[in-house]
Amino acid sequence: MAEGDNSKSLNGLLNGIAQYVYYNNSEITEELLKNELYPDLSQEEFHALHEKMKGLLKTIASADMDFTQLEAFLTAHTKKPGGVSGEQAAALSRFWKNHKPKIRDGLVQQSRWESSLRGLSWRADLQTQSRCAERIGSPVALVELELGRTGQESEFVCLEFDEAKVNHVLKKMAEIEESINAITHSS
């Protein structure tokens, strides 16, 4: 296999690993990667290469390595027996430089157990109907939250606040801000 072809195959392997490990693409399998990228390798040789690259990529991603750490990590692995070749180290370095933000986002998405806030909209209205006559004409804040998990449709929650509730929420938010400031300025 020519060096350029080997580099392309290795980059394809790293992309494939990222697809199913970090981006939840179940269509990509180890068998598919072997057949498409390394048809001439035996199953055992490919499995060893696959596991080595997957392990290195997982280590790099879980440590969220910056490029200085990555260079030191890869240099150490090129010097150790059974480690990576210079070509493999270069391919891993290029791959990480191009995919770090996307892999990091994939890890963040995988770590969320609950729905997250996808969007928020609000408006202020005047109340035109009420069981209580004195509330008519008073200001009302309507807040719509869009909640959801990756791969699922959003759920919408609508909240209505009168002036007293808005003031209470603003007071609580000010207390939260004070607590955050106290923690961040003390460390």
Side-chain angles (χ1 to χ4, degrees), residues 13-180:
L13 176 61
L14 293 170
N15 273 302
I17 291 169
Q19 284 295 317
Y20 72 82
V21 172
Y22 302 107
Y23 312 143
N24 296 321
N25 185 346
S26 60
E27 294 175 12
I28 306 295
T29 63
E30 184 177 338
E31 183 179 343
L32 174 73
L33 293 172
K34 183 202 179 304
N35 293 339
E36 293 292 320
L37 302 170
Y38 293 94
D40 298 336
L41 285 184
S42 71
Q43 186 62 40
E44 295 80 26
E45 289 173 318
F46 178 76
H47 182 71
L49 175 65
H50 177 269
E51 289 303 306
K52 180 192 291 186
M53 292 298 121
K54 185 168 88 172
L56 289 168
L57 196 54
K58 281 186 170 185
T59 300
I60 293 166
S62 65
D64 195 23
M65 289 187 186
D66 64 28
F67 301 115
T68 304
Q69 292 169 319
L70 177 67
E71 188 176 318
F73 176 76
L74 292 174
T75 300
H77 275 276
T78 58
K79 292 180 180 175
K80 101 181 198 185
V84 295
S85 69
E87 180 185 355
Q88 290 171 333
L92 278 162
S93 181
R94 278 190 310 274
F95 179 81
W96 186 242
K97 286 177 183 172
N98 292 326
H99 292 87
K100 180 181 178 178
K102 192 172 179 187
I103 288 175
R104 188 175 186 286
D105 289 346
L107 283 170
V108 168
Q109 291 298 327
Q110 290 174 6
S111 68
R112 287 193 178 133
W113 294 345
E114 299 294 326
S115 297
S116 60
L117 181 64
R118 290 183 175 170
L120 177 135
S121 60
W122 66 274
R123 71 175 194 262
D125 284 344
L126 292 178
Q127 192 152 357
T128 58
Q129 287 182 336
S130 179
R131 291 183 192 149
C132 183
E134 60 214 30
R135 287 190 175 172
I136 295 176
S138 63
V140 176
L142 298 172
V143 179
E144 185 178 71
L145 306 174
E146 180 183 0
L147 307 172
R149 291 186 181 162
T150 304
Q152 295 181 351
E153 287 195 28
S154 296
E155 294 179 44
F156 293 89
V157 177
C158 191
L159 305 169
E160 184 176 311
F161 297 95
D162 62 14
E163 189 175 0
K165 287 181 183 173
V166 167
N167 288 332
H168 180 72
V169 167
L170 291 173
K171 180 181 175 201
K172 289 294 182 188
M173 290 177 80
E175 290 173 8
I176 292 169
E177 183 180 20
E178 286 175 19
S179 296
I180 291 171

